[in-house]
Amino acid sequence: MGILELLQKKIVFFDGGMGSLLQAEGLGPGELPETWNILHPDVIINIQEAYLTAGCDVLTTNTFGANRLKYGADGEFSLEKVVAAAIANAKEAVRRVEEKTGRRGYVALDLGPTGKLLKPMGDLAFEDAVSLYSEVVEIGVREGADLILIETMSDSYELKAAVLGAKEHSDLPVFATVTFDSKGKMLTGGTVKSVVALLEGLGVDVLGVNCGQGPLQMKEIVTEMLAEASVPVLVNPNAGLPRSEHGKTVYDIDSDTFAEAMREFVAMGIRAAGGCCGTTPEHIGKLTALCADMPPIPVTKKEKTIVTSYAQCVEIGKDPVIIGERINPTGKPKLKQALRDHNLDYILQEGVNEQEHGAHILDVNVGLPEIDEVAVMQEAVEALQSVLDLPLQIDTSDPKAMEHAMRVYNGKPMVNSVNGKQEVMNQVFPLVKKYGGVVVALALDEDGIPKTAEGRIAVAKKIYAEAAKYGISKKDIVIDGLCMTISSDEQGAVTTLKTLRGVRDELGGKTILGVSNISFGLPMREYVNASFFTLALQDGLSAAIINPNSEAMMQAYYSYRALAGLDEHCQTYISMYAAQAAALKAAKEAEKQRRSSGQSSTARADGSRQQGEREEAAKSPLFESVVRGLKEKAVQSTKEGLREQEALEIVNEELIPALNEVGKGFEAGTVFLPQLLMSAEAAKAAFEVIKDAMESAGGAQEKQGRIILATVKGDIHDIGKNIVKVLLENYSFEVLDLGKDVPPEVVVETAVRENIRLVGLSALMTTTVPSMEETIRQLRKAAPDVKIMVGGAVLTKEYADTIGADQYCKDAMASVKYAQSVFGE
């Protein structure tokens, strides 16, 4: 019986932690746990045998950190040998227990994070990440793993790379679990809803959550995940929150409390359960004793149409969605020229403008005959996702361009489009099945565009049926009822509106329209567009491709939502137009007073202009470029600013305020890590221009202080350290980056030699926290005046206190603030 069959019959139990148990067996600070697969196989087998005896069904191999970045192709601890030994050990444990009890166990090839940020935030290319995972998967398949477990993922882009690496190189079932912080967010901003949509789109068999928190802290996340997921959910929490006692990491809930909390999750509907850091065979034994006989709750399909970016979710349903149409060269000569000139900044600015004017999703079409659409589409998608957090609609008729864009897209995109032609469905549906997406389906086929609503609905039915053959649900198809201009067909609008009603009422489907097509060839097109838009919304239009910069269209949209009961207490409508109403009223009062006093309109206009200039100065082009992460525009704005301003004036009045604004947004949860880093990169580029200008003038920007950063011995995960480095440097601190896997002695020697006042230490894994504690101990002895800040996924404030750190920094901005306090700012 395969693992998926077992999952249909009972609650499936996974094992618990490995690192803390290896530490108890003698794993030293900084020692690589995976080497014990070869050096101490008996220890690994005994631990895994204990888990099976405690009642678990699935053993995870001791390969969490095994990849090419840590283990090479040759030598005693080559990647091949380490992974093969891990699987052999797990299979031996399974054999022993099956021989004693007759109960079968399963071996899950364990894939953890690489420890690298992917481009554009980091230096690891997406395809390189896919390759890192695929290498391990190929070994795992060859050695006989039963399934693949991708776990402890904090970046949705790396998560996608791991899933593709697994699915493209094996037919094994794929389980994937991610890690959330206390606010329910992944490191790079992903939410429960966005993760579920991404993973289900990619076709994983089971999804869930692990690590980061104990079961008590995970309850809200598990509740939401069960409400969103249409596949079984796996939960592997830590044994509560960690702290250090006598040099050892311990956790704050015992095995009985752990099991009771997990029993509640099973009753709520999770289908697989186990443990992560700090859990032991005792925890798993208590868990299986309580839950083994509980009947599994059936998994229900959630009929939600979800489009996501790395951080934002848009649900297409009752509340209509706006899709910005401006990144499409049709009828837009400036965009055409920008595409010819490879001017991505123009495209980014269009996207920024559409977001600011209320778009929920951005359509991206770069189709020009004279450019390489495959390459430019991929570049445009990557560039837009580096600056904006809105989901994108990949709009192309070129299957190759579509696949390249879907592959590198971070999230679950909209795809525009498929239609009822068999050839087109054969090209598009395999891509949607592989990468996930919500596909726009045009109601036309080999016979052209049906003239009647009934004909278009028949094509929609055909598309639904063909998609079902690929396992693509109706929820992931949005029917385009097709707008035909009324200038050539006076019944065009009537037919389209009837099609919308038919898809909604007869088929229970979602719909989309390119609204402005209705008025082609007519004067004053906005009048027709806005009126038709309102009629379409009333007849069930789910998503509209429009120009969000059009005041008339957005007025129709906000008015409809208020009238249709979709805008609670008309709050959105009021927020959009209350200020405008007040301004109009004030203008009328001012005009009335002017007439009574004889003041000229010119004087009033001058006063308004001066006020406008003051407001514009408060948010200069450089300020906005940094906030938006527009690197090239930041450089250009800095060069222009230096013609009229002093360099330090630009730094203090524009760059630092912009970074502070982004930092406040990050702390408030309205700005996400990719945006934070892109803003930092834009600021860094601006600083370089200023630095060159100051050096040319014989001056230099004063540094705030010198700081050591290091990832501790045994840990190759330097994501957090690198993020902190970028921000500290932007705030004018000089960073001595010692890298990753840094021995305590190197940190201490450098701190003493360079007379350092602040050291920052990072660790991702439980097994490397003792190295952090040892580094702190040695620093206290050799350099007692040095302040020490620490951070990392396994740390808490209490844990940091117990290992002797001066400050626990939960994120990069907290590190900046602590550094400013240390150096007296």
Side-chain angles (χ1 to χ4, degrees):
M1 182 187 300
I3 188 65
L4 297 182
E5 293 176 86
L6 186 70
L7 199 62
Q8 296 300 315
K9 298 177 180 297
K10 67 182 284 290
I11 303 300
V12 169
F13 298 103
F14 277 65
D15 59 10
M18 175 64 75
S20 53
L21 297 180
L22 291 182
Q23 286 175 325
E25 293 289 339
L27 180 73
E31 190 176 2
L32 301 179
E34 295 84 11
T35 61
W36 277 44
N37 297 331
I38 296 170
L39 295 174
H40 305 288
D42 53 328
V43 174
I44 303 292
I45 293 168
N46 288 340
I47 290 172
Q48 293 181 323
E49 186 176 351
Y51 275 124
L52 289 169
T53 303
C56 91
D57 302 294
V58 181
L59 292 176
T60 55
T61 57
N62 184 32
T63 53
F64 178 82
N67 58 59
R68 188 188 345 123
L69 299 177
K70 190 185 290 187
Y71 298 97
D74 303 308
E76 182 184 4
F77 301 116
S78 69
L79 181 63
E80 175 93 26
K81 290 176 181 177
V82 165
V83 176
I87 294 175
N89 293 338
K91 290 173 76 173
E92 174 59 21
V94 167
R95 186 195 66 76
R96 290 181 186 180
V97 173
E98 189 170 4
E99 200 173 74
K100 293 175 185 176
T101 67
R103 191 169 62 84
R104 180 184 172 182
Y106 298 81
V107 175
L109 176 67
D110 191 27
L111 303 179
T114 62
K116 293 281 190 180
L117 272 175
L118 274 63
K119 293 180 178 179
M121 294 183 293
D123 57 4
L124 181 63
F126 179 77
E127 291 300 340
D128 289 341
V130 175
S131 175
L132 286 172
Y133 287 111
S134 63
E135 290 170 354
V136 181
V137 168
E138 288 176 351
I139 300 169
V141 170
R142 190 162 58 247
E143 298 299 325
D146 298 304
L147 65 145
I148 295 168
L149 173 65
I150 300 165
E151 66 166 336
T152 322
M153 288 291 170
S154 58
D155 175 10
S156 60
Y157 208 25
E158 184 175 32
L159 174 63
K160 179 174 181 176
V163 173
L164 289 177
K167 293 183 74 68
E168 290 178 346
H169 294 268
S170 82
D171 295 321
L172 296 177
V174 176
F175 293 33
T177 60
V178 302
T179 297
F180 296 100
D181 63 19
S182 59
K183 296 178 181 178
K185 297 285 180 67
M186 296 175 72
L187 174 68
T188 51
T191 64
V192 169
K193 201 168 185 176
S194 69
V195 167
V196 169
L198 170 68
L199 288 175
E200 290 189 348
L202 290 169
V204 302
D205 298 286
V206 174
L207 58 83
V209 58
N210 81 291
C211 205
Q213 303 176 79
L216 304 180
Q217 294 81 20
M218 278 186 183
K219 185 173 181 180
E220 286 187 18
I221 290 169
V222 173
T223 300
E224 186 178 359
M225 193 166 276
L226 288 168
E228 297 294 332
S230 297
V231 299
V233 170
L234 162 65
V235 179
N236 287 337
N238 292 345
L241 300 176
R243 66 182 185 277
S244 179
E245 286 186 2
H246 310 298
K248 293 184 178 180
T249 302
V250 297
Y251 291 79
D252 67 356
I253 65 173
D254 60 24
S255 56
D256 289 312
T257 307
F258 179 86
E260 285 290 347
M262 294 298 288
R263 184 180 185 279
E264 184 177 355
F265 289 164
V266 172
M268 289 163 56
I270 72 168
R271 297 297 297 270
C276 199
C277 299
T279 57
T280 66
E282 181 181 344
H283 290 79
I284 301 306
K286 296 284 180 68
L287 166 64
T288 58
L290 270 182
C291 303
D293 295 329
M294 293 179 67
I297 294 177
V299 178
T300 58
K301 298 294 181 183
K302 316 301 190 300
E303 298 301 326
K304 296 181 180 181
T305 302
I306 305 289
V307 184
T308 77
S309 65
Y310 61 85
Q312 297 289 347
C313 286
V314 175
E315 182 171 355
I316 299 175
K318 185 179 179 181
D319 200 345
V321 168
I322 301 298
I323 302 174
E325 68 177 8
R326 297 297 300 166
I327 306 176
N328 186 321
T330 305
K332 302 180 185 70
K334 288 184 179 179
L335 180 58
K336 286 182 179 179
Q337 193 57 48
L339 290 170
R340 294 187 190 105
D341 296 340
H342 201 255
N343 183 1
L344 290 177
D345 263 14
Y346 183 89
I347 295 172
L348 294 180
Q349 192 59 58
E350 285 287 345
V352 168
N353 290 339
E354 291 191 283
Q355 182 177 36
E356 289 177 344
H357 284 85
H360 305 116
I361 298 171
L362 301 183
D363 183 78
V364 183
N365 183 313
V366 298
L368 281 181
E370 62 266 42
I371 68 171
D372 182 351
E373 185 178 356
V374 175
V376 175
M377 174 64 87
Q378 180 173 331
E379 285 182 282
V381 166
E382 290 175 329
L384 285 163
Q385 287 209 291
S386 73
V387 171
L388 299 170
D389 61 350
L390 290 186
L392 303 181
Q393 176 172 273
I394 298 167
D395 185 354
T396 179
S397 58
D398 183 335
K400 193 173 180 182
M402 184 180 290
E403 175 161 23
H404 277 245
M406 291 179 74
R407 186 173 181 86
V408 301
Y409 182 79
N410 190 356
K412 181 184 178 185
M414 282 196 82
V415 181
N416 190 358
S417 60
V418 74
N419 58 51
K421 296 179 181 179
Q422 192 62 49
E423 179 185 3
V424 176
M425 291 190 288
N426 291 347
Q427 293 171 337
V428 174
F429 283 146
L431 300 181
V432 176
K433 176 62 177 175
K434 178 175 181 178
Y435 297 110
V438 172
V439 63
V440 175
L442 280 58
L444 61 87
D445 58 14
E446 288 84 356
D447 297 325
I449 300 174
K451 294 188 178 299
T452 66
E454 291 77 13
R456 296 178 193 181
I457 290 169
V459 173
K461 289 179 179 178
K462 180 169 75 171
I463 293 171
Y464 283 147
E466 187 66 20
K469 296 177 183 177
Y470 292 86
I472 299 169
S473 169
K474 184 167 68 174
K475 71 177 182 179
D476 285 329
I477 298 173
V478 182
I479 302 297
D480 189 334
L482 302 175
C483 279
M484 309 305 293
T485 177
I486 57 173
S487 63
S488 60
D489 179 6
E490 64 272 14
Q491 291 300 306
V494 174
T495 301
T496 300
L497 294 172
K498 187 175 181 182
T499 302
L500 295 181
R501 294 193 298 272
V503 173
R504 179 191 63 187
D505 300 336
E506 182 182 340
L507 305 183
K510 309 294 194 316
T511 54
I512 188 171
L513 291 174
V515 176
S516 61
N517 294 339
I518 202 72
S519 64
F520 187 77
L522 295 175
M524 303 303 291
R525 294 180 63 187
E526 266 196 346
Y527 294 171
V528 176
N529 292 346
S531 297
F532 175 70
F533 185 27
T534 304
L535 291 172
L537 290 170
Q538 180 62 29
D539 282 343
L541 180 64
S542 310
I545 304 174
I546 65 169
N547 177 8
N549 303 335
S550 166
E551 188 174 349
M553 296 299 279
M554 297 308 289
Q555 284 173 345
Y557 171 72
Y558 291 121
S559 299
Y560 170 79
R561 290 187 73 253
L563 292 166
L566 298 171
D567 184 1
E568 188 175 3
H569 305 305
C570 300
Q571 289 177 354
T572 303
Y573 183 88
I574 291 169
S575 70
M576 293 301 301
Y577 299 115
Q580 184 177 332
L584 287 172
K585 183 178 179 181
K588 288 180 180 178
E589 288 294 326
E591 181 66 17
K592 184 178 179 181
Q593 291 177 10
R594 183 190 64 79
R595 288 177 178 175
S596 63
S597 65
Q599 181 186 6
S600 70
S601 298
T602 303
R604 179 169 53 85
D606 286 344
S608 298
R609 185 167 58 250
Q610 290 167 7
Q611 175 65 24
E613 288 171 354
R614 286 194 294 271
E615 291 174 357
E616 183 64 26
K619 291 191 175 181
S620 69
L622 177 56
F623 180 96
E624 291 292 347
S625 298
V626 172
V627 168
R628 289 292 181 184
L630 300 172
K631 186 175 178 179
E632 296 302 322
K633 191 173 179 182
V635 169
Q636 180 184 346
S637 298
T638 304
K639 290 177 179 178
E640 292 172 356
L642 284 169
R643 293 173 191 154
E644 299 181 4
Q645 294 174 271
E646 293 293 328
L648 288 178
E649 183 182 351
I650 293 175
V651 171
N652 294 326
E653 295 183 10
E654 297 186 49
L655 283 176
I656 296 300
L659 284 170
N660 287 340
E661 177 153 316
V662 175
K664 288 175 185 175
F666 181 70
E667 290 175 333
T670 57
V671 170
F672 303 103
L673 182 61
Q675 296 162 291
L676 178 73
L677 291 180
M678 294 312 293
S679 291
E681 287 297 319
K684 184 178 180 181
F687 275 123
E688 286 300 317
V689 174
I690 289 170
K691 178 184 174 184
D692 291 343
M694 293 179 75
E695 288 177 351
S696 298
Q701 186 184 358
E702 184 180 351
K703 292 293 183 182
Q704 299 292 334
R706 302 169 77 224
I707 303 170
I708 284 177
L709 292 182
T711 301
V712 298
K713 177 67 178 174
D715 204 321
I716 66 161
H717 301 86
D718 58 359
I719 290 177
K721 173 184 66 66
N722 291 342
I723 294 167
V724 171
K725 177 184 177 182
V726 169
L727 286 201
L728 286 173
E729 289 179 337
N730 272 282
Y731 278 87
S732 300
F733 292 98
E734 181 181 346
V735 174
L736 281 67
D737 184 357
L738 301 185
K740 59 195 176 186
D741 191 17
V742 182
E745 296 78 13
V746 173
V747 177
V748 173
E749 288 169 8
T750 307
V752 172
R753 183 180 67 249
E754 300 293 335
N755 194 26
I756 296 296
R757 290 175 56 190
L758 177 60
V759 172
L761 302 175
S762 172
L764 176 77
M765 302 185 297
T766 305
T767 54
T768 59
V769 174
S771 292
M772 180 179 280
E773 187 171 6
E774 175 60 19
T775 304
I776 293 173
R777 189 191 66 77
Q778 291 191 25
L779 276 169
R780 293 294 182 222
K781 183 177 180 180
D785 294 333
V786 168
K787 296 293 184 182
I788 304 167
M789 60 181 180
V790 298
V794 296
L795 294 176
T796 63
K797 185 182 184 306
E798 182 183 6
Y799 201 173
D801 290 343
T802 60
I803 63 175
D806 294 296
Q807 184 72 18
Y808 163 66
C809 298
K810 64 183 178 65
D811 55 41
M813 282 308 300
S815 301
V816 170
K817 288 186 174 180
Y818 183 66
Q820 289 173 333
S821 71
V822 169
F823 290 96
E825 181 166 318

